Amino acid sequence: MHSTQEPRPTPVSRRRVTAAMVADLAGVSTATVSLVANGKAEGRVSTANEVKVRAAIRELGYVVDGIGSSLARGVSNTVIMIAPDISNPFFATVIAGVRAALGSQFQLLLSVTDAGQLPSADDTRRLLGLRPAGLLVDAPEPSFLEELSAPGPLVLLDAPGFGPEVPAVNLDVAQGSRLLAEHLAAAGHKKVAYLDGTTGTTTFEVRRTAFLAAAAELGMEVPAGALAAAAINVGLAATAFAEVWPRWKRDGITAVVCATDTHAYGILQEARATGISIPGELAVTGFDNLPYSMTSSPGLTSVNLPGELLGRRAAEQLLKLIAGEHLETQQVTLESSLMVRGSTSDI
């Protein structure tokens, strides 16, 4: 027996809604729908028609086909930013700067590598299928550009070691390391330790190398067993410090330089738990000058890296490349400074 029940209509939310469907419901042209949906209605679409189109968009659940538009134009309005291991809170300030510079004209898509992994040329090449307007790549390894071999607007962030012809915005982390060494030497420290990050980015290598060189010049010793490493995580840094501190104490270590503020927070946490006097027994420094470093107990002496400015300048450079403009300076270097607080000085 055949059922006499009428077939149920397909819910609007389960079918692809087109601009033509919105235009039909609103009683306007598809061109008018396109102007309203893409934020270009001002001065080109009457208020009455704009209201009708927006009502139809809401009723039908219409979403602009960004991929289709990208295919039509050959490029999207998306900027892709590729970053390693954003467990480091410093990246939040960098991303905020990028977002502020891009404004409403471009959407920011963030692609994050696995913890401890550097940006991959293969993974980046797959993202190019989205036809981004441009790429921002944070802390790539030196072989990245050769392996990528892809044309298009691209700016690197915090990527020392690339040639002057590569558009990049860098931080003078070596200067920051030298300032740390000078500060500790002036305070009378003779034996110091270094807690590094496990992410193998060039910026961490530059920080460590510059500090060790400056420490040697200033007469400070970093004993062979005074180099340790941990992931950028407060708990893991605390654990790593707890394991090495007995040996460091026996070796006469009186100060430790950390590759990031997050590492330093771990040391401060462990010191509070075990009764280590900071800075009386051990001076502690960080790198990045995160907001919490001003209010930690004690306040953390740290190298101030302008993360928000780093993101903003990189995005500004990229916008110029997207617009086909010539960059007056291919590479921009932002200065670092030292913020001295209670973790190294009784102030």
Side-chain angles (χ1 to χ4, degrees):
M1 184 174 76
H2 297 286
S3 171
T4 58
Q5 185 177 6
E6 291 292 326
R8 298 176 64 182
T10 302
V12 170
S13 61
R14 293 178 178 271
R15 64 185 179 183
R16 181 174 177 273
V17 179
T18 66
M21 294 165 66
V22 175
D24 184 59
L25 181 59
V28 299
S29 68
T30 54
T32 298
V33 172
S34 177
L35 289 171
V36 174
N38 289 287
K40 300 178 181 179
E42 186 175 354
R44 305 168 77 178
V45 177
S46 69
T47 301
N49 279 345
E50 184 175 357
V51 169
K52 288 191 291 184
V53 170
R54 293 195 181 282
I57 287 174
R58 287 193 298 271
E59 182 176 336
L60 296 175
Y62 174 66
V63 178
V64 176
D65 182 1
I67 294 178
S69 299
S70 299
L71 292 173
R73 297 193 308 271
V75 68
S76 73
N77 68 339
T78 298
V79 166
I80 296 178
M81 181 175 180
I82 303 167
D85 193 8
I86 61 167
S87 59
N88 187 347
F90 178 72
F91 280 117
T93 63
V94 178
I95 293 167
V98 171
R99 181 65 270 166
L102 292 181
S104 60
Q105 184 180 2
F106 292 93
Q107 295 297 313
L108 178 63
L109 175 62
L110 185 63
S111 175
V112 182
T113 64
D114 292 333
Q117 298 296 314
L118 299 177
S120 159
D122 287 340
D123 291 343
T124 302
R125 202 176 296 110
R126 283 192 284 270
L127 290 172
L128 294 177
L130 298 174
R131 305 200 180 193
L135 288 175
L136 295 169
V137 184
D138 196 300
E141 59 185 346
S143 62
F144 177 83
L145 289 182
E146 290 183 16
E147 295 174 2
L148 183 62
S149 301
L154 178 146
V155 174
L156 306 182
L157 296 82
D158 199 10
F162 285 82
E165 73 284 355
V166 179
V169 180
N170 292 318
L171 298 165
D172 195 347
V173 293
Q175 175 196 28
S177 291
R178 288 190 294 270
L179 291 173
L180 280 175
E182 291 169 0
H183 172 64
L184 294 177
H189 295 282
K190 298 299 182 183
K191 290 188 176 183
V192 296
Y194 194 93
L195 181 59
D196 206 351
T198 54
T199 303
T201 56
T202 305
T203 182
F204 278 4
E205 181 181 345
V206 172
R207 297 177 197 200
R208 182 185 66 255
T209 302
F211 175 77
L212 294 178
E217 291 175 5
L218 294 166
M220 289 189 297
E221 179 187 356
V222 182
L227 289 173
I232 306 174
N233 176 280
V234 173
L236 295 177
T239 299
F241 172 69
E243 292 176 355
V244 298
W245 172 241
R247 183 174 70 251
W248 286 1
K249 187 176 181 179
R250 288 195 302 270
D251 289 343
I253 299 295
T254 60
V256 56
V257 172
C258 299
T260 72
D261 281 6
T262 302
H263 288 94
Y265 299 156
I267 292 181
L268 295 181
Q269 173 181 290
E270 182 64 19
R272 284 193 299 271
T274 56
I276 301 170
S277 173
I278 306 291
E281 193 172 357
L282 181 70
V284 181
T285 74
F287 231 105
D288 295 337
N289 193 35
L290 299 177
Y292 180 66
S293 297
M294 292 184 289
T295 57
S296 60
S297 181
L300 179 65
T301 293
S302 181
V303 174
N304 181 54
L305 299 178
E308 192 275 341
L309 183 60
L310 171 68
R312 186 151 40 92
R313 287 288 171 81
E316 289 169 352
Q317 294 284 80
L318 184 65
L319 289 175
K320 290 179 181 179
L321 293 176
I322 292 173
E325 299 178 19
H326 174 72
L327 296 182
E328 294 182 6
T329 303
Q330 290 286 98
Q331 296 203 350
V332 177
T333 300
L334 305 177
E335 291 188 357
S336 56
S337 57
L338 184 63
M339 308 301 295
V340 177
R341 301 190 179 98
S343 68
T344 60
S345 176
D346 293 319
I347 56 176

